[in-house]
Amino acid sequence: MMKKLLLITALGLSFAFAGSVAPADNAQYQKECASCHFGYQPALLSKASWEKVMGNLSDHFGTDASLGKVESEQILSYLVSNAGSGKITANNSTMQITKSPYFIKEHRKIPAKFIEQKEVNSIANCLACHTTADKGNYSERAIVIPNYGRWE
Amino acid sequence: MKKTVCFILLTFTLLNAKEFNTPMKTYMEGLSTEAKAANPSFSGFDAKRGETLFVSKHTGKKGGEMSCTTCHSTNLKNGGQNVNTNKPITALAPSVNPTRLTDVAEVEKWLRRNFNDVFAREGVALEKGDVLTYIINQ
């Protein structure tokens, strides 16, 4: 019985995403990481990816995001213990959420001009279009593209 | 006479310069000692030099042209915006954002990161002290 439950839970997790992830609710992560960019939820990357990210913060996508040893270890621990294992992280061992095959598939129909406009600036700027991204909700219904409106 | 001049100068300085809190004063004294060790003719930090540094343009860590104002804007009483991510940055000026320049660890962290991003190297004591003196007076 217990085994079956575990199996079901594991299956459920491996297919998980369906437009929503647990919000990034760690105050230290919010302060140190989300002061510069959107607070990507830990479930959007795998444990291996977060280890890579946190392993070289002094050259973080071309900028210096270095932290003290203690803060760095605490944040890594939060990220890996909440890392993703589902659809969104499948076949992505890079440091970028936007390199996940699932992410690419979901964004393939978006015209470049939507991304390139100054209100968005980068495909990594989740909150620019996903109005409830900070709550971990990426559902299509909550998409509003700046200067263009709803995504239908 | 000398005493009077000193007193007037001191009063003038106190009236004009904004105050750092005690931990920040200790940090500034450390920078001062370092600056003096690097250059014996060092005679104190200067807001004007700090401002020049703040607006000066450099080839940044990413290879493009950067200055502190790229993200913080030229009026420190206004907020800025992270040039890479679009994330808003709250105003640097302590007169409108009193939490600025109050936490030594935060100040050290951002000076380290931002000097690297803008100048592609760490700042020296003179530069850090000048820039902090400029910001505290905003």
Side-chain angles (χ1 to χ4, degrees):
Chain A
M1 179 60 189
M2 195 57 199
K3 253 186 181 163
K4 215 176 188 178
L5 261 178
L6 275 174
L7 189 68
I8 293 168
T9 316
L11 273 173
L13 281 175
S14 63
F15 290 105
F17 184 55
S20 90
V21 282
D25 58 355
N26 180 285
Q28 195 178 25
Y29 172 77
Q30 288 293 345
K31 173 175 172 263
E32 301 296 355
C33 308
S35 57
C36 294
H37 56 68
F38 173 70
Y40 307 106
Q41 288 83 11
L44 299 177
L45 281 176
S46 67
K47 179 175 177 286
S49 292
W50 284 125
E51 282 166 350
K52 273 187 204 172
V53 171
M54 296 303 290
N56 189 17
L57 283 180
S58 58
D59 192 8
H60 186 65
F61 303 104
T63 72
D64 184 343
S66 57
L67 283 170
K69 194 168 178 287
V70 175
E71 292 83 1
S72 177
E73 280 168 4
Q74 286 167 345
I75 289 173
L76 176 65
S77 151
Y78 162 67
L79 291 170
V80 299
S81 58
N82 292 281
S85 56
K87 209 189 232 184
I88 187 76
T89 60
N91 301 312
N92 182 22
S93 59
T94 75
M95 296 190 286
Q96 285 167 273
I97 296 155
T98 56
K99 292 274 165 70
S100 125
Y102 179 77
F103 179 98
I104 294 168
K105 179 174 154 273
E106 288 295 307
H107 295 86
R108 73 190 181 283
K109 289 181 186 154
I110 298 162
K113 65 180 179 190
F114 287 6
I115 311 296
E116 285 159 5
Q117 57 176 333
K118 70 173 189 327
E119 290 84 352
V120 180
N121 190 31
S122 159
I123 190 96
N125 186 3
C126 305
L127 201 54
C129 304
H130 291 276
T131 58
T132 52
D134 53 338
K135 295 172 184 70
N137 177 356
Y138 292 86
S139 87
E140 282 199 24
R141 270 172 301 168
I143 298 172
V144 180
I145 296 164
N147 302 314
Y148 294 92
R150 295 196 173 273
W151 178 255
E152 319 259 20
Chain B
M1 183 57 193
K2 219 174 181 184
K3 239 181 189 167
T4 318
V5 172
C6 271
F7 182 74
I8 292 169
L9 271 176
L10 187 68
T11 314
F12 191 74
T13 315
L14 287 177
L15 280 175
N16 280 279
K18 304 291 189 300
E19 285 265 321
F20 283 110
N21 65 16
T22 310
M24 277 300 294
K25 268 185 195 155
T26 309
Y27 175 66
M28 291 298 286
E29 279 158 22
L31 287 179
S32 214
T33 310
E34 230 184 290
K36 186 89 185 155
N39 178 6
S41 65
F42 167 78
S43 63
F45 295 121
D46 180 63
K48 195 76 204 153
R49 277 200 312 257
E51 182 178 13
T52 306
L53 196 69
F54 196 84
V55 301
S56 63
K57 294 184 170 110
H58 302 270
T59 302
K61 186 172 163 64
K62 281 188 154 190
E65 190 178 77
M66 284 282 285
S67 78
C68 304
T69 61
T70 306
C71 296
H72 288 293
S73 94
T74 45
N75 183 351
L76 300 195
K77 292 191 172 74
N78 295 332
Q81 192 181 34
N82 184 304
V83 70
N84 300 310
T85 68
N86 275 14
K87 187 106 186 177
I89 299 171
T90 55
L92 268 186
S95 59
V96 296
N97 193 357
T99 62
R100 289 297 193 181
L101 310 193
T102 57
D103 182 330
V104 175
E106 280 296 294
V107 167
E108 281 192 289
K109 179 180 78 183
W110 286 109
L111 285 174
R112 178 183 73 239
R113 291 173 167 187
N114 294 357
F115 263 99
N116 272 328
D117 282 350
V118 177
F119 296 75
R121 61 166 174 82
E122 291 217 19
V124 297
L126 179 72
E127 293 169 324
K128 293 188 214 171
D130 283 347
V131 127
L132 292 173
T133 305
Y134 166 59
I135 299 170
I136 192 82
N137 284 296
Q138 295 302 299

